Amino acid sequence: MSTILHKIKAYLYDNVLTKDNPNDLTAKTVSERSLNVQQICLSAANRGGADISASAMEHATELFLKEMAYQLCDGYSVNTGYFTASTTIRGVFDSPSETFNKDKHSIIFQFNQGEKLRAEIPNIEVEILGVTEASSVILQVTDVKSGSVNDLITPGRNLKIAGSKIKVAGNDPFIGVFFVNTANDVRTMVEESDMVTNNPSELIVVIPALPAGTYHLEIVTQYAGSMMLKEPRTAVFDRELTVQ
C-alpha cells in the first residue's frame, strides 16, 4: 500500500466541458499559491531535500531551464523523467510548397508529465470539499487561432472561455472581461462590442491589442443564475496566459 505523503483539496463544479450528462460535475483543485524557482529551491533547502544552498540550487536550475529552452528552440525534445517537452507547429498548410507564415501558423511548446511524476500520484490524497457555492469559475480557455489551451493567446483573435456562471451582466460600471498584465498590473478591458458570445457557461471574446507578456484573465459580473448579485464578483483564471 502506498504511503500518503501529500494532500490536495478540490471543489466540485457543474461540468460545462462535456455535453453528454447535464448533471455531472468536475473537480477543480484549490491552489494555495503559485511557486517560482526561488521559492521551490528555498523549500528544498529548508526541508533537507537539497545538499546545496538554495541560492546555488536556484542558479543551477535557471541555467538548466535556459539551456533546455535553447535546445527546444532547435527542435529537440526533452525528457527530464518528471516531464517531457517538445516543440509543435500549429496551423494548416494548404499545399506542399507552402512555407511557414507567422500570421497563419504558430509555434508552441508542449509539456507532459513524465514517469517520475506519475509515480507520485499514488502518494496523493484528494479531499473533495463538496459542491461549490454560487461563485463564478473559469475552467478552461482556448485560443481559437493557435488552438492553444490555457496557455498562448493571440491579440485580435477570438478566445473561447468555458466556466460556470461567467456571463457578464449587471449595471455596475466595473463589470466585464479583463486581461491583467502580471508585470505591472495594468488592466485591459474587452470592449463590449468585442464580446461575441456571452452565455453562463461560455464566453467568446476578441482579445485586445495586448503587448507581449503574461496575463491573468478576470471576469467581473453580477450574474448568479436566476438572480443578480447586489455587488459584482470576480472570477480569476488560475493559469497565466502568454502573448508572445
mmCIF file of all heavy atoms in Angstrom, residues 153-182:
data_model
loop_
_atom_site.group_PDB
_atom_site.id
_atom_site.type_symbol
_atom_site.label_atom_id
_atom_site.label_comp_id
_atom_site.label_asym_id
_atom_site.label_seq_id
_atom_site.Cartn_x
_atom_site.Cartn_y
_atom_site.Cartn_z
ATOM 1 N N ILE A 153 -2.197 33.154 -26.090
ATOM 2 C CA ILE A 153 -3.344 33.891 -26.602
ATOM 3 C C ILE A 153 -2.871 34.812 -27.711
ATOM 4 O O ILE A 153 -1.738 35.290 -27.709
ATOM 5 C CB ILE A 153 -4.077 34.691 -25.496
ATOM 6 C CG1 ILE A 153 -3.121 35.647 -24.766
ATOM 7 C CG2 ILE A 153 -4.735 33.748 -24.508
ATOM 8 C CD1 ILE A 153 -3.804 36.529 -23.739
ATOM 9 N N THR A 154 -3.756 35.063 -28.680
ATOM 10 C CA THR A 154 -3.409 35.829 -29.870
ATOM 11 C C THR A 154 -4.215 37.119 -29.919
ATOM 12 O O THR A 154 -5.434 37.073 -30.151
ATOM 13 C CB THR A 154 -3.684 35.003 -31.145
ATOM 14 O OG1 THR A 154 -3.055 33.732 -31.040
ATOM 15 C CG2 THR A 154 -3.166 35.738 -32.366
ATOM 16 N N PRO A 155 -3.599 38.278 -29.696
ATOM 17 C CA PRO A 155 -4.334 39.555 -29.769
ATOM 18 C C PRO A 155 -5.022 39.726 -31.115
ATOM 19 O O PRO A 155 -4.493 39.367 -32.174
ATOM 20 C CB PRO A 155 -3.221 40.598 -29.572
ATOM 21 C CG PRO A 155 -2.175 39.886 -28.771
ATOM 22 C CD PRO A 155 -2.196 38.475 -29.275
ATOM 23 N N GLY A 156 -6.245 40.251 -31.055
ATOM 24 C CA GLY A 156 -7.015 40.489 -32.264
ATOM 25 C C GLY A 156 -7.807 39.289 -32.750
ATOM 26 O O GLY A 156 -8.555 39.398 -33.719
ATOM 27 N N ARG A 157 -7.642 38.137 -32.078
ATOM 28 C CA ARG A 157 -8.360 36.924 -32.463
ATOM 29 C C ARG A 157 -9.254 36.470 -31.309
ATOM 30 O O ARG A 157 -9.189 36.995 -30.194
ATOM 31 C CB ARG A 157 -7.373 35.816 -32.855
ATOM 32 C CG ARG A 157 -6.416 36.238 -33.955
ATOM 33 C CD ARG A 157 -7.119 36.632 -35.250
ATOM 34 N NE ARG A 157 -7.671 35.473 -35.936
ATOM 35 C CZ ARG A 157 -7.038 34.800 -36.868
ATOM 36 N NH1 ARG A 157 -5.820 35.162 -37.257
ATOM 37 N NH2 ARG A 157 -7.609 33.755 -37.453
ATOM 38 N N ASN A 158 -10.077 35.445 -31.553
ATOM 39 C CA ASN A 158 -11.064 35.033 -30.564
ATOM 40 C C ASN A 158 -10.463 34.171 -29.462
ATOM 41 O O ASN A 158 -9.578 33.343 -29.698
ATOM 42 C CB ASN A 158 -12.192 34.250 -31.229
ATOM 43 C CG ASN A 158 -13.134 35.154 -32.013
ATOM 44 O OD1 ASN A 158 -13.028 36.378 -31.943
ATOM 45 N ND2 ASN A 158 -14.046 34.560 -32.765
ATOM 46 N N LEU A 159 -10.989 34.329 -28.259
ATOM 47 C CA LEU A 159 -10.665 33.488 -27.111
ATOM 48 C C LEU A 159 -11.957 32.881 -26.604
ATOM 49 O O LEU A 159 -12.925 33.594 -26.319
ATOM 50 C CB LEU A 159 -10.014 34.302 -25.992
ATOM 51 C CG LEU A 159 -9.529 33.490 -24.787
ATOM 52 C CD1 LEU A 159 -8.314 32.651 -25.165
ATOM 53 C CD2 LEU A 159 -9.197 34.405 -23.612
ATOM 54 N N LYS A 160 -11.987 31.552 -26.513
ATOM 55 C CA LYS A 160 -13.167 30.854 -26.018
ATOM 56 C C LYS A 160 -12.951 30.544 -24.544
ATOM 57 O O LYS A 160 -11.970 29.906 -24.155
ATOM 58 C CB LYS A 160 -13.393 29.564 -26.809
ATOM 59 C CG LYS A 160 -14.662 28.817 -26.439
ATOM 60 C CD LYS A 160 -14.806 27.533 -27.250
ATOM 61 C CE LYS A 160 -14.984 27.834 -28.727
ATOM 62 N NZ LYS A 160 -15.236 26.590 -29.516
ATOM 63 N N ILE A 161 -13.877 30.987 -23.695
ATOM 64 C CA ILE A 161 -13.762 30.841 -22.240
ATOM 65 C C ILE A 161 -14.894 29.956 -21.749
ATOM 66 O O ILE A 161 -16.067 30.285 -21.930
ATOM 67 C CB ILE A 161 -13.829 32.214 -21.535
ATOM 68 C CG1 ILE A 161 -12.811 33.189 -22.141
ATOM 69 C CG2 ILE A 161 -13.606 32.068 -20.037
ATOM 70 C CD1 ILE A 161 -13.003 34.633 -21.690
ATOM 71 N N ALA A 162 -14.557 28.829 -21.123
ATOM 72 C CA ALA A 162 -15.563 27.930 -20.549
ATOM 73 C C ALA A 162 -15.532 28.042 -19.041
ATOM 74 O O ALA A 162 -14.466 28.148 -18.431
ATOM 75 C CB ALA A 162 -15.287 26.483 -20.979
ATOM 76 N N GLY A 163 -16.701 28.005 -18.427
ATOM 77 C CA GLY A 163 -16.764 28.114 -16.976
ATOM 78 C C GLY A 163 -18.181 27.988 -16.470
ATOM 79 O O GLY A 163 -19.079 27.528 -17.180
ATOM 80 N N SER A 164 -18.376 28.393 -15.249
ATOM 81 C CA SER A 164 -19.689 28.335 -14.615
ATOM 82 C C SER A 164 -20.075 29.716 -14.098
ATOM 83 O O SER A 164 -19.275 30.371 -13.412
ATOM 84 C CB SER A 164 -19.658 27.330 -13.455
ATOM 85 O OG SER A 164 -20.902 27.294 -12.780
ATOM 86 N N LYS A 165 -21.259 30.156 -14.468
ATOM 87 C CA LYS A 165 -21.797 31.460 -14.048
ATOM 88 C C LYS A 165 -20.837 32.602 -14.407
ATOM 89 O O LYS A 165 -20.540 33.471 -13.593
ATOM 90 C CB LYS A 165 -22.110 31.456 -12.545
ATOM 91 C CG LYS A 165 -23.187 30.452 -12.155
ATOM 92 C CD LYS A 165 -23.488 30.519 -10.662
ATOM 93 C CE LYS A 165 -24.634 29.579 -10.283
ATOM 94 N NZ LYS A 165 -24.306 28.151 -10.526
ATOM 95 N N ILE A 166 -20.376 32.594 -15.656
ATOM 96 C CA ILE A 166 -19.422 33.616 -16.087
ATOM 97 C C ILE A 166 -20.041 34.646 -17.028
ATOM 98 O O ILE A 166 -19.335 35.512 -17.551
ATOM 99 C CB ILE A 166 -18.198 32.970 -16.772
ATOM 100 C CG1 ILE A 166 -18.619 32.082 -17.950
ATOM 101 C CG2 ILE A 166 -17.367 32.174 -15.761
ATOM 102 C CD1 ILE A 166 -17.447 31.550 -18.761
ATOM 103 N N LYS A 167 -21.348 34.571 -17.245
ATOM 104 C CA LYS A 167 -22.000 35.554 -18.098
ATOM 105 C C LYS A 167 -21.787 36.954 -17.533
ATOM 106 O O LYS A 167 -21.967 37.197 -16.338
ATOM 107 C CB LYS A 167 -23.494 35.257 -18.194
ATOM 108 C CG LYS A 167 -24.266 36.242 -19.065
ATOM 109 C CD LYS A 167 -25.739 35.856 -19.163
ATOM 110 C CE LYS A 167 -26.499 36.822 -20.043
ATOM 111 N NZ LYS A 167 -27.925 36.452 -20.204
ATOM 112 N N VAL A 168 -21.369 37.862 -18.392
ATOM 113 C CA VAL A 168 -21.143 39.248 -17.964
ATOM 114 C C VAL A 168 -22.475 39.980 -17.989
ATOM 115 O O VAL A 168 -23.071 40.194 -19.047
ATOM 116 C CB VAL A 168 -20.121 39.950 -18.874
ATOM 117 C CG1 VAL A 168 -19.948 41.410 -18.448
ATOM 118 C CG2 VAL A 168 -18.783 39.220 -18.822
ATOM 119 N N ALA A 169 -22.968 40.340 -16.797
ATOM 120 C CA ALA A 169 -24.265 41.005 -16.687
ATOM 121 C C ALA A 169 -24.283 41.855 -15.428
ATOM 122 O O ALA A 169 -23.568 41.581 -14.453
ATOM 123 C CB ALA A 169 -25.390 39.970 -16.645
ATOM 124 N N GLY A 170 -25.112 42.886 -15.444
ATOM 125 C CA GLY A 170 -25.239 43.764 -14.286
ATOM 126 C C GLY A 170 -25.102 45.215 -14.684
ATOM 127 O O GLY A 170 -24.738 45.546 -15.811
ATOM 128 N N ASN A 171 -25.395 46.082 -13.731
ATOM 129 C CA ASN A 171 -25.337 47.514 -14.015
ATOM 130 C C ASN A 171 -24.143 48.206 -13.383
ATOM 131 O O ASN A 171 -24.001 49.419 -13.475
ATOM 132 C CB ASN A 171 -26.638 48.200 -13.562
ATOM 133 C CG ASN A 171 -26.961 47.897 -12.103
ATOM 134 O OD1 ASN A 171 -26.092 47.488 -11.342
ATOM 135 N ND2 ASN A 171 -28.219 48.086 -11.730
ATOM 136 N N ASP A 172 -23.282 47.465 -12.719
ATOM 137 C CA ASP A 172 -22.083 48.061 -12.136
ATOM 138 C C ASP A 172 -21.137 48.478 -13.265
ATOM 139 O O ASP A 172 -20.923 47.725 -14.218
ATOM 140 C CB ASP A 172 -21.386 47.061 -11.209
ATOM 141 C CG ASP A 172 -20.282 47.705 -10.392
ATOM 142 O OD1 ASP A 172 -19.198 47.945 -10.961
ATOM 143 O OD2 ASP A 172 -20.494 47.963 -9.201
ATOM 144 N N PRO A 173 -20.549 49.666 -13.182
ATOM 145 C CA PRO A 173 -19.690 50.146 -14.293
ATOM 146 C C PRO A 173 -18.383 49.371 -14.441
ATOM 147 O O PRO A 173 -17.691 49.522 -15.455
ATOM 148 C CB PRO A 173 -19.410 51.606 -13.909
ATOM 149 C CG PRO A 173 -19.607 51.657 -12.422
ATOM 150 C CD PRO A 173 -20.704 50.692 -12.122
ATOM 151 N N PHE A 174 -18.042 48.537 -13.449
ATOM 152 C CA PHE A 174 -16.753 47.853 -13.493
ATOM 153 C C PHE A 174 -16.862 46.388 -13.909
ATOM 154 O O PHE A 174 -15.891 45.642 -13.800
ATOM 155 C CB PHE A 174 -16.068 47.955 -12.130
ATOM 156 C CG PHE A 174 -15.742 49.359 -11.730
ATOM 157 C CD1 PHE A 174 -16.507 50.016 -10.783
ATOM 158 C CD2 PHE A 174 -14.690 50.043 -12.334
ATOM 159 C CE1 PHE A 174 -16.217 51.316 -10.412
ATOM 160 C CE2 PHE A 174 -14.402 51.352 -11.970
ATOM 161 C CZ PHE A 174 -15.165 51.992 -11.014
ATOM 162 N N ILE A 175 -18.036 45.957 -14.376
ATOM 163 C CA ILE A 175 -18.147 44.573 -14.833
ATOM 164 C C ILE A 175 -17.525 44.443 -16.229
ATOM 165 O O ILE A 175 -17.444 45.410 -16.987
ATOM 166 C CB ILE A 175 -19.612 44.093 -14.858
ATOM 167 C CG1 ILE A 175 -20.432 44.869 -15.892
ATOM 168 C CG2 ILE A 175 -20.244 44.189 -13.474
ATOM 169 C CD1 ILE A 175 -21.806 44.283 -16.139
ATOM 170 N N GLY A 176 -17.083 43.222 -16.554
ATOM 171 C CA GLY A 176 -16.501 42.981 -17.867
ATOM 172 C C GLY A 176 -15.445 41.896 -17.813
ATOM 173 O O GLY A 176 -15.237 41.239 -16.793
ATOM 174 N N VAL A 177 -14.769 41.711 -18.942
ATOM 175 C CA VAL A 177 -13.675 40.752 -19.071
ATOM 176 C C VAL A 177 -12.374 41.542 -19.139
ATOM 177 O O VAL A 177 -12.252 42.481 -19.933
ATOM 178 C CB VAL A 177 -13.840 39.880 -20.333
ATOM 179 C CG1 VAL A 177 -12.673 38.898 -20.463
ATOM 180 C CG2 VAL A 177 -15.169 39.130 -20.288
ATOM 181 N N PHE A 178 -11.399 41.152 -18.302
ATOM 182 C CA PHE A 178 -10.164 41.920 -18.183
ATOM 183 C C PHE A 178 -8.940 41.010 -18.349
ATOM 184 O O PHE A 178 -8.937 39.864 -17.891
ATOM 185 C CB PHE A 178 -10.085 42.601 -16.814
ATOM 186 C CG PHE A 178 -11.172 43.598 -16.558
ATOM 187 C CD1 PHE A 178 -12.394 43.185 -16.026
ATOM 188 C CD2 PHE A 178 -10.990 44.940 -16.841
ATOM 189 C CE1 PHE A 178 -13.414 44.092 -15.783
ATOM 190 C CE2 PHE A 178 -12.012 45.861 -16.599
ATOM 191 C CZ PHE A 178 -13.223 45.438 -16.073
ATOM 192 N N PHE A 179 -7.910 41.558 -18.977
ATOM 193 C CA PHE A 179 -6.594 40.932 -19.016
ATOM 194 C C PHE A 179 -5.660 41.795 -18.168
ATOM 195 O O PHE A 179 -5.500 42.990 -18.445
ATOM 196 C CB PHE A 179 -6.080 40.825 -20.449
ATOM 197 C CG PHE A 179 -6.877 39.876 -21.301
ATOM 198 C CD1 PHE A 179 -8.002 40.318 -21.990
ATOM 199 C CD2 PHE A 179 -6.508 38.547 -21.406
ATOM 200 C CE1 PHE A 179 -8.744 39.446 -22.778
ATOM 201 C CE2 PHE A 179 -7.246 37.669 -22.193
ATOM 202 C CZ PHE A 179 -8.365 38.115 -22.877
ATOM 203 N N VAL A 180 -5.052 41.186 -17.149
ATOM 204 C CA VAL A 180 -4.229 41.931 -16.203
ATOM 205 C C VAL A 180 -2.773 41.533 -16.400
ATOM 206 O O VAL A 180 -2.398 40.366 -16.206
ATOM 207 C CB VAL A 180 -4.655 41.662 -14.751
ATOM 208 C CG1 VAL A 180 -3.859 42.537 -13.792
ATOM 209 C CG2 VAL A 180 -6.162 41.900 -14.574
ATOM 210 N N ASN A 181 -1.948 42.492 -16.796
ATOM 211 C CA ASN A 181 -0.526 42.241 -17.018
ATOM 212 C C ASN A 181 0.149 41.890 -15.694
ATOM 213 O O ASN A 181 0.059 42.637 -14.721
ATOM 214 C CB ASN A 181 0.131 43.477 -17.637
ATOM 215 C CG ASN A 181 1.524 43.203 -18.144
ATOM 216 O OD1 ASN A 181 2.391 42.761 -17.413
ATOM 217 N ND2 ASN A 181 1.737 43.467 -19.424
ATOM 218 N N THR A 182 0.806 40.728 -15.631
ATOM 219 C CA THR A 182 1.399 40.271 -14.375
ATOM 220 C C THR A 182 2.617 41.094 -13.980
ATOM 221 O O THR A 182 3.023 41.082 -12.815
ATOM 222 C CB THR A 182 1.806 38.798 -14.471
ATOM 223 O OG1 THR A 182 2.778 38.629 -15.517
ATOM 224 C CG2 THR A 182 0.601 37.912 -14.761
#
